[in-house]
Structure formats: C-alpha cells, structure tokens
Amino acid sequence: EDQVTQSPEALRLQEGESSSLNCSYTVSGLRGLFWYRQDPGKGPEFLFTLYSAGEEKEKERLKATLTKKESFLHITAPKPEDSATYLCAVHSGSGNTGKLIFGQGTTLQVKP
Amino acid sequence: SQTIHQWPATLVQPVGSPLSLECTVEGTSNPNLYWYRQAAGRGLQLLFYSVGIGQISSEVPQNLSASRPQDRQFILSSKKLLLSDSGFYLCAWSVQYNSPLHFGNGTRLTVT
C-alpha cells in the first residue's frame, strides 16, 4: 500500500536555528513528490515539485531534496513567518488522475 | 494567472440538512478538479476528482456526491449531512495528472 510518513509531527525552533523536516514514502512508482505549506484556516500553498532522486529545489530559506526513499525540507535560518504546517505528498502509480497521497504534516513553530 | 474560488468559507448545518459547496477556477481550461477533506489533526483525504465535464470519480464511499456541470465548476453535495461530515473541505485543480495541485482556501463545515 502506498504510504507517506512525515517526521517530526511538531518542531519548535528558535529564530535562526536551521533544521530539516523528513518525508518518507513507500509507493509503487513515484511520479512526483510535492511540498506544501499550510497556514491555519487556509488551503495548502504549493512550494516545490521533485521528480527524480538527486533533484533539489530552493526558494528563499527553504530547500527540498529527494532520494529514492525520502525527501527533506531544509530550513536555513528560519524566521517567525516560516511558522506553518508543512505537508508532503506523492503522486504514484499509473493512470492520469493526478491523485496525491498526503502525509500528516509537520507543524513548525519558529520563536523570535 | 489562474485563481480558484471556494465558498462559503464557513458553514454550520444541522444533521440531516442538505449541503452544497461550490468551487470555480479561472484562467485555465479543462483542469483536473479535486475535492479533499481534512479532519482535525489528520492528513488530506481525497473525496472526488474529475478530469472533464460530467466525469466524476469517487474515492471514498459516503453520503457525499460531486458534480461538474461546467468546465471550471466543481460542486460537492449531500442530501442529508451526518455529524461525521464535519471537517475542512478543500477544492483543488491541476493542469495535468502529474503537475502540482493548487488549492482554494477551504470551507470549514460544522455539522451540529
């Protein structure tokens, strides 16, 4: 069964304290891994897409990497405005439906 | 640019009442459309997806239904709400099956 697991569930950082979020996946055939940011009461906001192992994407203080079994979202020198829930999702298998399997998310709190 | 509109933002309905949530997309043609539900503290669960007008696929057996009367309009309905239907409902669209999903800001539904 396809599965996506994110860790940790919650993470508290001091402003400027760099860290990484993990997304482990077990899928029949990876067709894309997606990272989203979700603020309370809002819909998820798309951050990155990764399609193959070794691929990396960067945006401001965020950097996403991908291996054959997991993805990391590295946060460098975070600021309080980076506080949010970060969701990982994978698209797998055959067909053209675009169905994504989501992880439970990591809730990040950055304290000033 | 493409935008997605979802309404209402919040809704309180009694058990047994009907439901209609609407979602429209602007700035693109023939998008894939999705309805997700996010329960508190849980990941996103795919409810329905559509690859074209009148084409609806259901992922989870339940008392909800979806319709796509126009290319960029997606409606989530129920004839009789249950307490377990409470949650955060999100509409999303994508260009094609392996491209990122873009979400609306959701509807918070409380069934009392």
Side-chain angles (χ1 to χ4, degrees):
Chain A
E1 181 183 350
D2 294 342
Q3 197 168 7
V4 178
T5 304
Q6 290 188 247
S7 61
E9 290 187 12
L11 182 62
R12 285 185 174 184
L13 299 173
Q14 290 296 128
E15 184 172 2
E17 179 186 3
S18 301
S19 188
S20 297
L21 313 181
N22 178 263
C23 171
S24 299
Y25 60 90
T26 305
V27 296
S28 55
L30 183 68
R31 291 190 165 195
L33 185 142
F34 305 85
W35 281 100
Y36 289 86
R37 168 192 171 128
Q38 186 175 22
D39 292 304
K42 302 288 187 182
E45 175 189 351
F46 169 69
L47 293 174
F48 304 110
T49 306
L50 302 166
Y51 288 108
S52 57
E55 191 174 358
E56 299 181 352
K57 293 278 181 69
E58 281 189 75
K59 180 181 180 181
E60 296 181 354
R61 295 176 293 282
L62 301 177
K63 179 180 178 180
T65 61
L66 181 65
T67 71
K68 289 186 178 180
K69 294 183 178 180
E70 59 192 348
S71 176
F72 291 94
L73 184 65
H74 307 279
I75 303 177
T76 302
K79 298 182 178 181
E81 53 262 42
D82 294 323
S83 297
T85 295
Y86 290 86
L87 299 169
C88 170
V90 297
H91 172 50
S92 68
S94 60
N96 64 347
T97 62
K99 293 183 290 183
L100 295 184
I101 303 167
F102 280 85
Q104 300 295 320
T106 294
T107 300
L108 172 66
Q109 184 181 25
V110 182
K111 293 190 171 184
Chain B
S1 63
Q2 300 89 358
T3 56
I4 180 169
H5 303 280
Q6 195 179 340
W7 67 93
T10 59
L11 190 60
V12 180
Q13 292 284 95
V15 169
S17 64
L19 173 73
S20 181
L21 303 181
E22 191 162 341
C23 170
T24 59
V25 180
E26 295 178 357
T28 187
S29 297
N30 196 32
N32 288 351
L33 296 173
Y34 310 83
W35 280 110
Y36 279 85
R37 178 169 60 200
Q38 187 174 35
R42 299 178 62 181
L44 276 74
Q45 179 188 38
L46 178 63
L47 302 175
F48 301 94
Y49 66 89
S50 171
V51 298
I53 295 174
Q55 301 179 60
I56 308 295
S57 295
S58 174
E59 288 295 299
V60 182
Q62 58 210 331
N63 68 322
L64 299 172
S65 62
S67 62
R68 185 171 178 173
Q70 300 180 44
D71 181 43
R72 290 168 288 176
Q73 183 185 28
F74 207 23
I75 298 171
L76 182 69
S77 304
S78 174
K79 292 182 179 178
K80 290 185 177 182
L81 285 169
L82 306 172
L83 285 174
S84 58
D85 292 324
S86 294
F88 192 46
Y89 288 83
L90 290 157
C91 180
W93 70 274
S94 68
V95 174
Q96 57 186 32
Y97 75 95
N98 64 342
S99 59
L101 268 63
H102 301 279
F103 289 86
N105 274 328
T107 295
R108 173 74 60 192
L109 172 65
T110 303
V111 182
T112 60

